[in-house]
């Protein structure tokens, strides 16, 4: 197996993504005495290039999907597909993260379960936790949230559709007054501004 | 997926869980059964979801280290290590090599402890209680050693952003070596019980098979993937901590039997061989351990100030006993992270339950479910012990007792 | 039967029931302590089964909503009553059975089925899917161990019929003329095989590891007994305890009917006491080999493997034993 360098992977995926390619960066991080480096590739794309780029990556080496991470950036939600290629050969694994930004007005993304069936758990989780709509998902049920969890509440959101304060149980209200946190503690920066 | 022959009799469905003796933690299974044979399997986790990521986004990074440690009761170092590695990459904090080696030693002890725990659970699921007691008795020794090194049996609280909180001093080495010798002695006994016993072979051979193709496509990690022949081990693939200096090979079952079948038995082999591998890694780390400080930024206030200025994103990974754990962290010049996504190893392994279970017998459900070593993370933390009468131990008393016990261990 | 006899039978039955229950629980305690020691544990005190019983008796007796109550409640009673009634046909030490002259080996084989059947009925009546699967497994297990058990009994019956004794199927006859003294070297080997078969049928009958598939704690959460609680559960435990005594007593009566007193030339009362004690020791030895020792050294079988073990391996073993016994008596 001929192994591509991180920059070569970027070039190949850039070609596959075409005009939907936004930016890419390669990072390295060394630990230990010998200074062996772990290598990461971060590629930001438009939604329409996700599947072509992934297909191209599968041609290089069938990637292991770690997880799909998700960030609420205010107006947008960013999905990050953490993929790993070249595992099995000591110290040569490369992490390829494909990041896709979605506007909150249209949170839909095509499924990748036909390419990597193991993505199902992660896609189901993104649907319930962030309110993403995964198109053509083979099994759209909830994963971790209970069935009686209210519709339209998405725990990872940082806007009005996030967890409302009346759903949060404060431990100190069970009679341990001394554990009451100071005012404003335990709120995110956005919540503090409100 | 396996194709199941469809018969014309009406299959009936039954549920196992969320609370069932076969399941050590709450998860719900629904099975479509035909007599004793499973036609379809489905699972629903989330019976004990605690919203830890949500809590983390409302805390500062040092607080999250301790919160992350409590994600799992068994992988005490895994989550805090992964989180710290992510934060260190974002904030460009260089950890000393001595701290890397200490992290590795504790990580490997945890692997021995977790695999022994698993061996006991698996034996119990098979109805082989003698092996269960033996494995857990040995595990007790590992936990004592961990307590001796870190001060705690379960949540070690040894990892900190920028290093570790306690050193392994030269006077501790003989005690570690003594324990390693003990594990090596017991390893032979355990291996002969688990690998040579006829009844265990009868129950585990060709049971709960995960084909190499499924092991690739369903993204399982750790021993589950390796037992099906996918050579994937974060310690080998991804140079980090002291593993970056070691020459390791992923453990696959063909190293012992010469073939890969991907069944429950192969998963037993992989875990047992990994115990042996871990003993070797600890020895090597002790021999090669460099000198140096153990913490990059010893002052907490300084560390917090530095973290508040950090900006960027990174992924921290560690090979937990159950497989790859990864933490994605994004910082944005705030006290708490902008994003924190935790991926535990069982999260990746869930999907492989379905092809393993379908077509097998009801009797095999417990061992197949246990074979991926699921860690569903329990919620409850009960500290009331009723002992001859209605004596209730308070948290303070329990804390005092455990501190006394640790002192005793450390004084010898 | 006159009044005096009737009273004797009633009193004897009561005494046997008491003996069966107390000894059953006592041996259960011994088994638990021994197993614990062999697994390097301390284990419960010897009287733990008695404590358990006392506690269960005070616990609430819950009948599930979708159970059939009369059947659900009757099953444990039938199980205990039938286990005790087998006691009446079995010689204990030098005490002859109370119903001597009424029942024989074949009857005992049939009676042994009843407690198991009662458990099946109770399981099916409890309306739980786990209990239903358990009941199905129990039936399959029963059918499985019946083959080696029946073959062993047939070997004995055939041999004693061959000897031309009166009442050849009676246990009293077997006890009076031990099998080992009636066979040559080939038959001796055959009898050894039959003994091994009986020792391995016992854990199946008692639902112990590796044949505890119908209860399978980790799979079926207790299977047959999953819905039982309080008094009903206590009755099932008692019937299992009594059944353990019955089964081992049958093995003792078939294979080791020897008494110490005949060698020591003792007077009547001490002789009975010594024989009684010796009998308890014999039961202990059988119990140790067939229950405790097997149960610590093995994992649980699947139900298909239970059938395989009993039909293929033990079935073949007992048939070879039977054939050896037959060949032996033809060539003598």
């Amino acid at each position: 197996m001929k192994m591509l360098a991180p920059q070569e992977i970027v070039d190949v995926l850039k070609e596959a993504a075409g005009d939907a390619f936004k930016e890419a960066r390669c990072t390295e991080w060394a630990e230990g005495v010998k200074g062996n480096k772990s290598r990461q590739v971060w590629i930001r794309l438009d939604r329409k290039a996700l599947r072509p780029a992934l297909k191209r990556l599968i041609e290089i080496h069938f990637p292991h999907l770690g997880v799909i991470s998700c960030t609420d950036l205010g107006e947008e939600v960013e999905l990050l597909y953490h993929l790993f290629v070249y595992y099995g050969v000591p110290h040569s694994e490369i992490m390829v993260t494909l990041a896709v930004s979605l506007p909150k007005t249209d949170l839909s993304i095509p499924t990748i379960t036909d390419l990597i069936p193991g993505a199902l758990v992660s896609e189901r989780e993104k649907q319930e936790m962030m309110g993403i709509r995964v198109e053509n998902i083979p099994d759209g049920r909830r994963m971790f949230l209970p069935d009686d969890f209210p519709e339209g509440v998405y725990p990872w959101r940082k806007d009005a559709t996030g967890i409302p304060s009346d759903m949060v149980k404060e431990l100190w209200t069970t009679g341990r007054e001394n554990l009451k946190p100071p005012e404003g503690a335990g709120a995110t920066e956005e919540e503090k501004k409100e | 997926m396996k194709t199941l022959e469809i018969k014309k009799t009406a299959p009936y469905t039954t549920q196992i869980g969320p609370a069932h003796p076969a399941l050590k933690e709450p998860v719900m299974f629904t099975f479509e059964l035909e007599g004793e044979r499973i036609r379809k399997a489905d699972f629903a986790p989330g019976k004990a979801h605690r919203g830890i990521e949500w809590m983390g986004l409302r805390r500062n990074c040092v607080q999250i280290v301790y919160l992350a440690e409590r994600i799992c009761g068994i992988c005490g170092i895994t989550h805090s290590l992964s989180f710290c590695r992510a934060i260190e990459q974002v904030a460009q904090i260089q950890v000393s090599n001595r701290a890397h080696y200490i992290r590795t030693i504790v990580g490997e002890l945890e692997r021995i402890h977790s695999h022994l725990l698993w061996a006991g659970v698996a034996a119990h699921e098979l109805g082989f209680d003698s092996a269960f007691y033996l494995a857990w008795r040995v595990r007790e020794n590992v936990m004592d050693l961990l307590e001796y090194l870190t001060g705690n049996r379960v949540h070690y609280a040894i990892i900190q952003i920028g290093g570790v909180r306690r050193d392994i001093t030269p006077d501790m080495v003989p005690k570690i070596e003594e324990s390693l010798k003990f594990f090596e002695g017991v390893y032979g006994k355990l291996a002969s019980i688990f690998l040579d016993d006829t009844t265990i072979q009868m129950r585990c051979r060709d049971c709960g098979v995960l084909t190499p193709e499924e092991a690739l496509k369903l993204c399982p990690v750790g021993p589950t993937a390796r037992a099906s022949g996918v050579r994937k081990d974060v310690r080998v693939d991804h140079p980090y901590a002291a593993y970056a200096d070691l020459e390791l090979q992923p453990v696959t079952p063909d190293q012992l039997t010469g073939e890969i079948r991907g069944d429950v038995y192969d998963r037993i082999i992989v875990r047992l061989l990994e115990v042996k591998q871990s003993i070797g890694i600890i020895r090597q780390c002790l021999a090669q351990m460099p000198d140096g400080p153990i913490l990059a930024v010893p002052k907490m206030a300084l560390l917090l100030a530095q973290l508040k200025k950090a900006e960027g994103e990174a992924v921290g990974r560690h090979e937990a006993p159950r497989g790859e754990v990864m933490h994605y962290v994004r910082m944005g010049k705030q006290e708490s992270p902008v994003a924190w996504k935790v991926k535990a190893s069982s999260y990746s392994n869930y999907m492989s339950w379905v092809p393993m279970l379908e077509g097998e017998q009801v009797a095999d459900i417990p061992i197949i479910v246990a074979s991926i070593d699921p860690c569903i993370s329990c919620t409850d933390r009960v500290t009331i012990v009723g002992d001859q009468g209605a004596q209730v131990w308070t948290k303070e008393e329990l804390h005092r007792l455990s501190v006394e016990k640790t002192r005793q261990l450390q004084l010898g | 039967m006159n009044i005096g006899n009737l009273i004797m039978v009633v009193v004897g039955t009561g005494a046997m029931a008491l003996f069966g229950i107390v000894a059953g629980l006592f041996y259960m305690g011994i088994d638990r302590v021994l197993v614990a020691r062999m697994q390097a544990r301390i284990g419960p005190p010897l009287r733990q089964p008695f404590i358990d019983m006392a506690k269960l008796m005070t616990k609430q007796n819950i009948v599930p909503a979708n159970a059939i109550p009369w059947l659900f409640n009757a099953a444990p009673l039938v199980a205990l009553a039938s286990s005790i009634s087998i006691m009446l046909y079995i010689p204990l030490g030098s005490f002859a059975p109370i119903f001597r002259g009424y029942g024989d080996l074949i009857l005992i084989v049939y009676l042994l089925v009843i407690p198991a059947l009662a458990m099946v009925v109770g399981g099916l009546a409890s309306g739980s899917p786990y209990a239903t699967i358990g009941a199905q497994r129990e039936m399959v297990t029963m059918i499985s161990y019946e083959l080696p058990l029946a073959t062993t009994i047939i070997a004995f019956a055939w041999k004693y019929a061959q000897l031309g004794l009166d009442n050849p199927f009676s246990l009293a006859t077997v006890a009076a003329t031990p099998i080992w003294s009636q066979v040559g070297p080939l038959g001796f080997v055959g009898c050894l095989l039959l003994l091994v078969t009986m020792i391995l049928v016992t854990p199946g009958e008692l639902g112990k590891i590796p044949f505890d598939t119908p209860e399978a704690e980790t799979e079926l959460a207790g299977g047959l007994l999953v819905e039982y609680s309080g008094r009903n559960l206590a009755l099932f435990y008692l019937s299992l305890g009594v059944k353990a005594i019955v089964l081992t007593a049958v093995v003792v009566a078939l294979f080791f009917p020897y008494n110490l007193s005949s060698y020591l030339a003792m007077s009547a009362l001490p002789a009975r006491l010594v024989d009684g004690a010796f009998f308890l020791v014999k039961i202990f030895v059988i119990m140790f080999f067939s229950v405790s020792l097997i149960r610590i050294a093995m994992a649980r079988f699947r139900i298909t493997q239970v059938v395989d073990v009993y039909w293929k391996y033990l079935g073949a073993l007992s048939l070879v034993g039977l054939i050896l016994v037959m060949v032996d008596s033809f060539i003598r």
Side-chain angles (χ1 to χ4, degrees):
Chain A
M1 183 168 63
K2 186 191 164 287
M3 287 197 234
L4 301 177
Q7 191 54 47
E8 288 172 313
I9 291 180
V10 171
D11 294 340
V12 169
L13 295 185
K14 191 174 183 177
E15 191 196 317
D19 59 346
F21 180 87
K22 282 202 235 149
E23 56 157 344
R25 73 193 157 90
C26 301
T27 55
E28 283 182 338
W29 185 256
E31 288 181 8
V33 179
K34 291 182 185 166
N36 288 319
K37 282 176 179 155
S38 61
R39 297 166 296 170
Q40 292 91 28
V41 176
W42 304 78
I43 298 176
R44 293 200 140 72
L45 307 157
D46 265 352
R47 143 173 48 184
K48 66 177 182 193
L50 172 68
R51 285 176 57 90
L54 187 57
K55 276 182 190 156
R56 190 70 191 84
L57 192 64
I58 290 173
E59 284 167 24
I60 297 174
H61 185 217
F62 192 88
H64 163 66
L65 175 75
V67 74
I68 308 173
S69 307
C70 196
T71 317
D72 184 345
L73 296 172
E75 296 306 307
E76 289 180 327
V77 170
E78 191 173 57
L79 287 179
L80 299 103
Y81 293 71
H82 302 291
L83 300 147
F84 300 90
V85 289
Y86 303 142
Y87 45 81
V89 185
H91 298 175
S92 55
E93 190 181 55
I94 300 175
M95 180 178 93
V96 181
T97 298
L98 301 178
V100 180
S101 272
L102 306 173
K104 274 198 179 161
T105 48
D106 178 20
L107 288 174
S108 68
I109 187 94
T111 180
I112 60 161
T113 47
D114 53 332
L115 303 171
I116 304 177
L120 185 61
V121 171
S122 216
E123 287 189 350
R124 279 170 73 180
E125 189 192 38
K126 299 299 116 29
Q127 292 210 112
E128 61 181 3
M129 293 292 185
M130 202 46 130
I132 309 278
R133 196 163 47 79
V134 181
E135 285 160 9
N136 300 325
I137 187 166
D139 176 1
R141 288 172 303 160
R142 278 183 171 164
M143 187 84 195
F144 294 105
L145 293 184
D147 290 332
D148 57 353
F149 196 80
E151 291 286 335
V153 175
Y154 304 111
W156 292 353
R157 290 274 192 97
K158 292 176 182 171
D159 52 24
T161 54
I163 299 269
S165 55
D166 62 330
M167 279 180 75
V168 181
K169 280 192 188 123
E170 301 286 359
L171 261 185
W172 59 268
T173 54
T174 56
R176 290 185 284 173
E177 194 62 34
N178 61 329
L179 294 180
K180 184 176 177 180
E183 207 59 41
T188 58
E189 306 292 322
E190 288 81 5
E191 283 163 357
K192 276 179 197 164
K193 276 175 210 153
E194 278 165 16
Chain B
M1 303 249 167
K2 263 183 218 164
T3 46
L4 295 161
E5 48 179 304
I6 288 144
K7 289 177 191 157
K8 282 180 184 153
T9 43
Y12 61 99
T13 53
T14 189
Q15 288 177 328
I16 287 193
H20 185 278
L23 309 166
K24 305 296 168 240
E25 288 173 85
V27 61
M28 169 96 136
F29 286 94
T30 312
F31 294 107
E32 201 176 287
L33 297 177
E34 209 170 77
E36 288 262 336
R37 207 152 281 280
I38 302 162
R39 278 187 44 173
K40 272 192 192 139
D42 187 28
F43 62 93
K47 304 298 167 201
H49 199 283
R50 289 165 291 170
I52 287 209
E53 288 148 330
W54 187 90
M55 290 194 274
L57 295 185
R58 282 146 188 84
R59 277 159 177 78
N60 73 38
C61 294
V62 174
Q63 286 172 321
I64 295 179
V65 174
Y66 298 96
L67 183 63
E69 197 156 315
R70 275 144 186 85
I71 288 172
C72 179
I74 299 165
C75 320
I77 187 177
T78 298
H79 288 279
S80 50
L81 176 57
S82 304
F83 176 75
C84 288
R85 289 199 55 235
I87 288 287
E88 283 152 14
Q89 289 178 51
V90 174
Q92 297 288 319
I93 298 172
Q94 291 295 338
V95 177
S96 78
N97 283 322
R98 187 171 182 85
H100 279 317
Y101 275 73
I102 294 172
R103 285 177 173 189
T104 307
I105 290 171
V106 178
E108 289 309 309
L109 281 175
E110 176 178 281
R111 191 178 320 277
I112 296 176
H113 139 65
S114 173
H115 282 351
L116 285 173
L117 174 112
W118 177 83
V121 169
H124 178 65
E125 304 284 17
L126 289 171
F128 200 158
D129 280 356
S130 304
F132 156 63
Y133 290 119
L134 174 66
W136 280 39
R137 218 168 62 236
V138 183
R139 171 175 171 260
E140 208 55 32
N141 192 298
V142 192
M143 293 181 82
D144 279 349
L145 182 61
L146 278 165
E147 182 175 354
Y148 173 72
L149 294 177
T150 68
N152 292 305
R153 283 163 68 80
V154 182
H155 298 300
Y156 317 118
I158 192 170
I159 305 288
Q160 183 55 277
I161 298 170
V164 289
R165 292 178 57 226
R166 282 179 193 224
D167 201 358
I168 294 181
T169 50
D171 58 305
M172 286 172 158
V173 175
K175 189 140 183 175
I176 302 176
E177 186 53 40
E178 187 188 322
S179 285
L180 291 180
K181 282 217 180 81
F182 172 70
F183 302 148
E184 274 172 339
V186 178
Y187 172 80
K189 207 169 170 185
L190 273 172
S192 73
I193 287 180
F194 279 94
L195 302 180
D196 301 338
D197 185 85
T198 324
T199 42
I200 288 187
Q201 282 201 14
M202 280 168 79
R203 289 295 306 273
C204 298
R205 256 299 176 215
D206 297 320
C207 157
V209 174
L210 187 73
T211 62
E213 199 200 339
E214 285 161 346
L216 208 58
K217 294 213 157 149
L218 295 176
C219 308
V221 293
T224 314
R226 290 195 284 278
S228 292
V230 177
R231 292 165 63 82
K232 196 160 66 188
D233 187 331
V234 182
R235 296 176 293 169
V236 178
D237 306 331
H238 173 83
Y240 73 101
Y243 302 116
D245 299 340
L246 305 174
E247 271 163 28
L248 299 173
Q249 282 298 322
V251 174
T252 45
D254 54 334
Q255 291 167 5
L256 189 78
T257 57
E259 58 174 345
I260 292 172
R261 297 205 207 174
D263 51 12
V264 173
Y265 192 74
D266 275 354
R267 275 164 237 146
I268 296 178
I269 295 177
V270 168
R271 291 206 173 85
L272 277 174
L273 291 182
E274 281 188 13
V275 171
K276 205 174 178 183
Q277 189 189 33
S278 293
I279 298 172
I281 293 177
I282 297 170
R283 282 245 166 81
Q284 228 174 323
C285 285
L286 283 175
Q288 297 176 4
M289 195 148 70
D291 283 331
I294 55 165
L295 212 50
V297 192
K299 291 244 178 349
M300 274 306 118
L302 208 64
L303 179 66
L304 281 171
Q306 194 178 345
L307 291 175
K308 208 172 171 177
K309 280 182 266 168
E311 192 176 15
E313 60 187 344
V315 169
R317 297 164 80 209
H318 171 57
E319 178 81 10
R322 286 157 190 74
E324 168 208 56
V325 160
M326 54 186 287
H327 284 221
Y328 168 75
V329 181
R330 180 186 289 205
M331 300 288 291
K333 298 198 172 178
Q334 290 174 6
E335 241 188 335
S336 43
V338 176
W340 178 36
K341 171 73 194 129
V342 179
K343 200 277 296 187
S345 14
S346 300
Y347 183 101
S348 304
N349 286 336
Y350 277 162
M351 292 281 286
S352 42
W353 264 334
V354 176
M356 280 182 201
L357 282 165
E358 284 178 355
E360 297 293 347
Q361 290 187 21
V362 173
D364 300 324
I365 293 173
I367 185 64
I368 294 178
V369 168
S371 73
I372 72 158
D373 199 357
C375 185
I376 298 147
S377 286
C378 37
T379 41
D380 301 346
R381 285 186 297 129
V382 179
T383 46
I384 295 173
V385 180
D387 188 40
Q388 287 161 8
Q391 190 183 6
V392 174
W393 296 82
T394 62
K395 191 180 150 209
E396 286 71 27
E397 279 172 306
L398 281 172
H399 181 246
R400 183 180 50 78
L401 283 172
S402 56
V403 169
E404 269 171 25
K405 196 214 152 193
T406 310
R407 293 257 158 77
Q408 249 173 10
L409 264 177
Q410 287 176 336
L411 293 174
Chain C
M1 195 184 278
N2 59 32
I3 298 291
N5 258 347
L6 195 69
I7 291 171
M8 269 301 288
V9 167
V10 170
V11 171
T13 308
M16 284 306 257
L18 194 69
F19 167 75
I21 288 171
V22 171
L25 290 178
F26 179 65
Y27 279 103
M28 236 186 241
I30 294 183
D31 171 59
R32 283 172 70 172
V33 171
L34 280 179
V35 165
R37 289 298 151 90
M38 285 188 276
Q39 292 171 334
R41 290 184 290 129
I42 295 169
L46 210 54
R47 61 177 197 285
Q48 189 63 41
F50 293 93
I51 302 170
D52 290 350
M53 281 311 110
K55 186 168 182 184
L56 277 178
M57 286 295 184
T58 62
K59 288 274 181 185
Q60 191 192 359
N61 193 12
I62 299 166
V63 181
N66 47 357
I68 309 167
W70 68 270
L71 215 52
F72 184 79
N73 287 322
L77 279 174
V78 173
L80 182 59
S82 56
S83 310
I84 290 174
S85 60
I86 316 174
M87 298 276 305
L88 308 180
Y89 294 96
I90 294 173
L92 304 176
S94 51
F95 292 95
I98 293 177
F99 282 171
R100 55 187 162 271
Y102 293 99
D104 55 18
L105 268 175
I106 310 293
L107 178 75
I108 290 173
V109 173
Y110 276 103
L111 280 177
L112 274 174
V113 177
I114 297 179
L117 267 184
M119 278 178 84
V120 169
V121 170
L124 289 174
S126 51
S128 148
Y130 294 141
T132 312
I133 299 178
Q136 291 167 353
R137 287 181 175 183
E138 174 73 41
M139 277 193 281
V140 174
T141 314
M142 244 160 65
I143 297 167
S144 314
Y145 63 66
E146 219 53 22
L147 174 73
L149 179 66
T151 315
T152 311
I153 300 295
I154 287 169
F156 271 83
W158 185 87
K159 179 73 198 168
Y160 283 93
Q162 198 70 11
L163 289 174
L165 297 169
D166 297 343
N167 212 351
F169 293 173
S170 143
L171 266 179
T173 316
V174 180
T177 40
I179 185 97
W180 309 101
S181 60
Q182 304 301 326
V183 291
L186 261 187
F188 190 85
V189 175
C191 284
L192 271 182
L193 294 182
L194 294 177
L195 175 62
V196 171
T197 310
M198 275 307 280
I199 293 234
L200 290 173
V201 164
T202 310
E205 285 256 15
L206 297 175
K208 298 283 185 205
I209 287 172
F211 303 109
D212 68 335
T213 349
E215 284 164 44
E217 182 218 335
T218 46
E219 296 156 26
L220 301 178
L224 283 171
L225 302 176
V226 67
E227 296 293 345
Y228 277 100
S229 55
R231 198 199 63 213
N232 280 344
L233 186 61
L235 290 180
F236 266 132
Y237 274 139
L238 288 181
S239 91
L240 272 178
V242 175
K243 208 175 153 188
I245 298 291
V246 166
L247 268 167
T248 40
V250 168
V251 178
V252 166
L254 288 177
F255 292 97
F256 309 106
Y258 306 100
N259 279 323
L260 277 182
S261 56
S262 50
Y263 297 102
L264 299 175
M266 283 178 171
S267 57
L269 187 64
R272 294 223 148 180
L273 288 178
V274 166
D275 286 346
F278 186 53
F279 174 75
L280 290 179
V281 171
K282 285 189 287 188
I283 283 196
F284 164 75
V285 172
I286 301 287
M287 195 95 85
F288 178 74
F289 281 105
S290 67
V291 177
S292 312
L293 211 55
I294 293 180
R295 123 175 141 94
I296 61 149
M298 285 180 131
R300 183 186 304 118
F301 288 132
R302 286 178 209 144
I303 188 68
T304 48
Q305 291 168 337
V306 169
V307 178
D308 271 6
V309 166
Y310 276 129
W311 281 49
K312 284 192 195 151
Y313 303 110
L314 286 182
L317 195 73
S318 57
L319 277 174
V320 170
L322 171 66
I323 290 166
L324 285 178
V325 169
M326 285 175 139
V327 169
D328 175 69
S329 44
F330 283 128
I331 59 171
R332 264 156 82 94

